[in-house]
């Protein structure tokens, strides 16, 4: 009875999620001053971000970038778990990775959404940096100004079937930008002016010894931003892919970009990544409270999370949807490939030091990222080898996730 009830709730959750590409969700449009370009109550008169917490070198560089861009706290939108700095745009990783964090509402519940903007190494004709936009959110004048300040919007990616609602806005605002979708998205959203789609089964150079997937030469440098198509899922009620997501790895910053393959909703007290400490502690892994992903200047504590958001993230997604996806939506005949993808991302291919999910807190720190991904994918990496501690080797042992996975 309990299992049937959980499946029923998961079905309801899936049904509501499928409408996010139509009109069920909307991004809060904050009130803003016309003279505010990037983010947007000032901390003090000279706009300094106080050094309250211990900071790594990378974090100091991000704080410096905040000052360079004249970003201040809380003057764009209300500070909250889905936009902890309350900014139009926030530096997220070095080099050249920025996030656009937004409250995102479904039936008055803020489920959060994040777009990522990457400054590519290539230059536009005017000498500015080419920009790649991942998982576009709604455009407004401050965000348009911010994009202009960073470079030229050149590539816009809708990485799965659900993160496509605002692709048409970016296509219309930036007619010279190339608009890319995940496999099959152009048929589902024909009104968008698509340039093309990611190839089905996309893999980067060296994935399990294979060559890079052939792709449109109008795309970006795949060595700089590497894709993997999560071509292992099937909606048990329709027989077709549900998310059909492509995840990406930004090589220069060692950053993993996900939309719905991995999420990281905060626990109820609003402490940045406090839930990760709790979850890993249940596996006997102790993470210091001053780790590289705890609360800091650009990801401050925000107080109690609204009840609806908490129930959505920690019950709806973590307790109900996660086991439903892992045990029922991952195809039985593709679980071997799913494990290979998981191990490549976590253990043997990508050296992830930052995880930027579309939903929830950013995760920072190489060791913590590995531990988080091991738990999420229900795998375990062997991180010791004759070649040194930085080389990962997969093992046959699994973590404590859903017992059916990979069996």
């Amino acid at each position: 009875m309990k299992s049937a009830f959980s499946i029923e709730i998961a079905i309801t959750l899936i049904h509501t999620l499928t409408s996010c590409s139509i009109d069920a969700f909307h991004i809060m449009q904050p009130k803003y001053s016309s003279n505010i370009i990037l983010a947007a109550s000032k901390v003090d008169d000279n706009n300094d971000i106080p050094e309250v917490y211990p900071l790594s070198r990378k974090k100091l560089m991000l704080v410096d970038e905040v000052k360079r861009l004249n970003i201040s706290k809380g003057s764009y939108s209300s500070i909250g778990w889905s936009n902890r700095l309350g900014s139009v745009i926030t530096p997220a990783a070095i080099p050249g990775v920025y996030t656009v964090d937004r409250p995102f509402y479904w039936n008055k519940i803020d489920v959060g959404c994040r777009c990522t903007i990457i400054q590519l190494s290539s230059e536009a004709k005017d000498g500015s940096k080419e920009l790649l936009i991942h998982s576009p959110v709604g455009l407004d004048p401050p965000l348009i100004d911010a994009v202009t300040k960073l470079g030229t919007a050149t590539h816009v990616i809708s990485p799965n079937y659900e993160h496509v609602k605002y692709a048409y806005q970016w296509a219309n605002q930036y007619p010279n930008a190339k608009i890319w979708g995940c496999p099959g998205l152009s048929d589902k959203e024909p009104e968008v002016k698509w340039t093309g789609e990611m190839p089905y089964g996309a893999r980067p150079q060296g994935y399990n010894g294979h060559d890079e997937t052939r792709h449109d030469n109008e795309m970006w440098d795949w060595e700089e931003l590497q894709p993997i198509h999560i071509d292992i899922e099937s909606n048990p009620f329709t027989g077709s892919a549900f998310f059909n997501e492509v995840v990406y790895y930004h090589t220069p910053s060692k950053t993993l970009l996900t939309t719905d393959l991995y999420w990281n909703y905060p626990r109820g007290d609003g402490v940045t990544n406090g839930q990760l400490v709790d979850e890993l502690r249940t596996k006997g892994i102790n993470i210091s409270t001053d780790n590289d992903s705890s609360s800091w200047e650009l990801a401050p504590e925000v107080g109690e999370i609204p009840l609806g958001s908490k129930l959505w993230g920690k019950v709806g997604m973590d307790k109900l949807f996660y086991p439903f996806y892992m045990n029922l939506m991952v195809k039985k005949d593709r679980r071997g490939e799913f494990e290979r993808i998981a191990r490549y991302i976590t253990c043997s291919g990508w050296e992830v030091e930052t995880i930027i999910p579309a939903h929830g807190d950013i995760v920072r720190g190489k060791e913590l990222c590995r531990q988080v991904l091991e738990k999420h994918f229900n795998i375990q990496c062997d991180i010791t080898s004759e070649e040194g501690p930085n080389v990962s080797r997969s093992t046959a042992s699994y973590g404590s996730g859903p017992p059916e996975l990979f069996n």
Side-chain angles (χ1 to χ4, degrees):
M1 180 66 71
K2 182 178 179 182
S3 176
F5 178 69
S6 297
I7 291 175
E8 182 179 351
I9 295 178
I11 294 171
T12 302
L13 180 62
I14 290 174
H15 177 73
T16 60
L17 279 169
T18 58
S19 61
C20 76
S21 62
I22 311 174
D23 291 316
F25 291 96
H26 68 276
I27 290 182
M28 181 184 72
Q29 298 296 337
K31 297 178 181 179
Y32 49 82
S33 170
S34 61
N35 63 351
I36 294 173
I37 295 180
L38 290 176
S41 55
K42 285 192 175 182
V43 177
D44 50 39
D45 292 338
N46 62 7
N47 195 32
D48 283 343
I49 304 294
E51 295 182 13
V52 177
Y53 304 97
L55 292 176
S56 67
R57 174 171 171 77
K58 287 184 179 180
K59 284 185 176 181
L60 287 172
M61 294 172 71
L62 291 172
V63 170
D64 285 343
E65 181 67 358
V66 165
K67 296 175 181 178
R68 185 185 74 83
L69 295 172
N70 194 30
I71 295 174
S72 55
K73 292 183 182 180
S75 58
Y76 174 76
S77 69
S78 299
I79 290 175
W81 72 269
S82 54
N83 189 350
R84 289 180 179 270
L85 201 63
S87 58
V88 173
I89 192 169
T90 307
I94 301 294
V97 181
Y98 305 82
T99 60
V100 184
D101 302 353
R102 293 291 182 267
F104 206 55
Y105 288 96
W106 170 76
N107 286 353
K108 299 182 180 180
I109 297 174
D110 179 11
V111 301
C113 194
R114 176 180 292 113
C115 164
T116 302
I117 299 177
I118 294 176
Q119 288 180 324
L120 298 174
S121 59
S122 52
E123 292 185 351
K125 292 180 179 179
D126 63 0
S128 65
K129 288 287 188 181
E130 291 192 336
L131 303 179
L132 183 144
I133 289 82
H134 173 270
S135 184
V137 296
L139 277 167
D140 56 20
L143 181 52
I144 293 170
D145 288 342
V147 170
T148 301
K149 196 168 184 178
L150 292 178
T152 300
T154 306
H155 300 280
V156 180
I157 301 174
S158 293
N160 73 11
Y161 285 167
E162 300 306 317
H163 286 247
V164 66
K165 181 177 174 66
Y166 296 101
Y168 78 96
Q169 288 188 359
W170 289 77
N172 292 338
Q173 177 66 35
Y174 302 102
N176 294 325
K178 299 176 177 66
I179 312 299
W180 308 100
C182 68
L185 193 54
S186 59
D187 288 339
K188 294 175 71 68
E189 303 288 341
E191 73 282 0
V192 178
K193 300 173 184 177
W194 300 106
T195 303
E197 295 179 348
M198 296 298 298
Y200 191 92
R203 301 290 188 268
Q205 180 71 33
Y207 174 85
N208 289 336
H210 296 301
D211 291 335
E212 181 179 272
T213 303
R214 294 183 62 182
H215 56 279
D216 193 318
N217 60 12
E218 292 296 311
M219 288 184 173
W220 59 92
D221 179 357
W222 271 29
E223 177 59 31
E224 186 171 2
L225 188 74
Q226 301 180 30
I228 291 182
H229 178 209
I230 310 301
D231 55 339
I232 48 75
E233 67 173 56
S234 175
N235 186 326
F237 307 106
T238 66
S240 59
F242 182 65
F243 290 122
N244 216 20
E245 181 169 345
V246 181
V247 299
Y248 297 89
Y249 176 71
H250 183 234
T251 306
S253 66
K254 300 181 178 179
T255 297
L256 172 66
L257 306 179
T258 69
T259 42
D260 294 300
L261 179 68
Y262 170 78
W263 58 89
N264 186 32
Y265 284 98
R267 68 186 187 191
D269 61 3
V271 174
T272 308
N273 279 314
Q275 73 280 359
L276 297 185
V277 176
D278 294 342
E279 292 167 1
L280 292 173
R281 189 171 291 157
T282 64
K283 295 184 63 179
I285 301 172
N286 291 318
I287 300 295
S288 171
T289 55
D290 63 352
N291 69 79
D292 209 30
S293 280
S294 58
S295 299
W296 65 297
E297 281 73 7
L298 305 190
E301 296 181 19
V302 293
E304 192 71 17
I305 303 298
L307 179 61
S309 299
K310 182 165 57 178
L311 290 175
W312 174 276
K314 307 316 290 178
V315 178
M317 295 301 293
D318 289 1
K319 300 298 184 183
L320 297 177
F321 182 72
Y322 173 76
F324 181 84
Y325 181 89
M326 291 296 192
N327 294 323
L328 295 178
M329 290 182 68
V330 176
K331 294 180 183 179
K332 290 184 178 180
D333 62 351
R334 295 290 286 164
R335 290 190 174 187
E337 179 63 11
F338 189 32
E339 181 179 3
R340 285 187 286 273
I341 291 172
R343 291 191 178 282
Y344 188 86
I345 293 172
T346 309
C347 311
S348 60
W350 291 346
E351 191 176 345
V352 178
E353 294 186 359
T354 303
I355 305 171
I356 301 182
H359 307 288
D361 292 329
I362 295 173
V363 184
R364 290 185 170 88
K366 180 179 177 180
E367 181 181 1
L368 182 59
C369 287
R370 175 183 57 78
Q371 291 167 336
V372 165
L373 293 172
E374 281 182 338
K375 181 181 183 300
H376 186 74
F377 289 130
N378 188 31
I379 60 175
Q380 183 177 336
C381 303
D382 177 7
I383 60 171
T384 60
S385 76
E386 294 180 358
E387 298 174 57
N390 292 329
V391 178
S392 299
R393 294 285 184 255
S394 61
T395 70
S397 59
Y398 301 143
S400 58
E404 295 89 346
L405 186 60
F406 303 147
N407 288 341

